[in-house]
Amino acid sequence: MDRKNIIIKFVIMKITLLVVGKTTDSHIEALTQDYLKRISHYISFDFQVLPDIRNTRSLSEEQQKVAEGELILKSVPNNAYLVLFDEHGEELRSVELAQWVNKKMSGLSVPIVFLIGGPYGFSKAVYERADARLSLSKLTFSHQMVRLIAVEQLYRAMTILHGEPYHHE
């Protein structure tokens, strides 16, 4: 696909990053917002924060995942292609992620929603609804860090697809 077609497709396609809970670290939040602004130069990109589940002390981890899952599923459009950032998902190098995003954007006519869940992962219902699962690393990061890494990698993917010098390989 030539660059002109990629740019046209990017303008039409919408991507959302949906996350559970707000970021409490102002430094991470500032960096995340910087990458969100950068991504918006390439594509319609929405960042949605779902509120934390309240009164979780009385809930088991499974009950918390179920409650978060219900909130998540209400927030994801029925026609969206749902991608979980999940530790058991497929691991891709940055160039492979760019190719993966390009393939999805070229082949789908529905919005793509990337999802970062809560501290205990996803409920069974969310796993069943998901269309794909990607892993950002075998390492474990805080949920605040995962947001930053995810938006940076999506920005990197856009620069790779546009042939810009941000990524070096």
Side-chain angles (χ1 to χ4, degrees):
M1 175 178 281
D2 66 42
R3 186 176 171 179
K4 182 178 178 184
N5 288 338
I6 291 173
I7 294 170
I8 291 169
K9 185 69 174 183
F10 283 7
V11 172
I12 297 168
M13 177 60 71
K14 178 171 184 165
I15 292 180
T16 298
L17 177 60
L18 184 64
V19 300
V20 175
K22 63 183 178 181
T23 299
T24 57
D25 185 307
S26 61
H27 301 295
I28 292 174
E29 178 64 19
L31 288 168
T32 300
Q33 290 301 318
D34 179 55
Y35 281 107
L36 290 170
K37 184 178 176 182
R38 293 181 191 198
I39 291 171
S40 69
H41 294 293
Y42 300 100
I43 188 169
S44 176
F45 194 90
D46 188 31
F47 182 70
Q48 275 186 290
V49 179
L50 298 178
D52 286 309
I53 302 298
R54 296 185 183 269
N55 303 319
T56 57
R57 290 182 191 194
S58 63
L59 299 177
S60 69
E61 289 179 14
E62 190 59 34
Q63 289 171 322
Q64 190 170 333
K65 287 194 302 188
V66 168
E68 286 174 350
E70 290 171 0
L71 184 59
I72 288 166
L73 293 175
K74 287 179 186 174
S75 302
V76 175
N78 290 335
N79 68 333
Y81 187 85
L82 181 60
V83 182
L84 307 183
F85 280 122
D86 181 72
E87 64 184 335
H88 302 293
E90 179 182 6
E91 281 191 58
L92 302 172
R93 293 174 44 255
S94 295
V95 171
E96 294 169 333
L97 176 63
Q99 293 165 345
W100 187 93
V101 168
N102 186 44
K103 181 178 177 184
K104 296 302 176 197
M105 293 176 75
S106 299
L108 297 172
S109 59
V110 296
I112 299 172
V113 176
F114 288 93
L115 174 61
I116 298 171
Y120 303 115
F122 302 106
S123 68
K124 183 179 177 184
V126 172
Y127 278 119
E128 289 172 355
R129 167 62 181 84
D131 296 295
R133 292 191 293 173
L134 298 176
S135 174
L136 293 169
S137 174
K138 289 183 181 183
L139 300 172
T140 301
F141 302 107
S142 72
H143 279 68
Q144 295 180 27
M145 295 282 296
V146 169
R147 294 169 195 203
L148 175 58
I149 293 166
V151 295
E152 190 280 336
Q153 283 299 301
L154 291 170
Y155 170 73
R156 183 178 297 274
M158 295 298 117
T159 64
I160 290 168
L161 293 173
H162 283 82
E164 295 178 357
Y166 181 78
H167 180 77
H168 305 285
E169 191 159 298

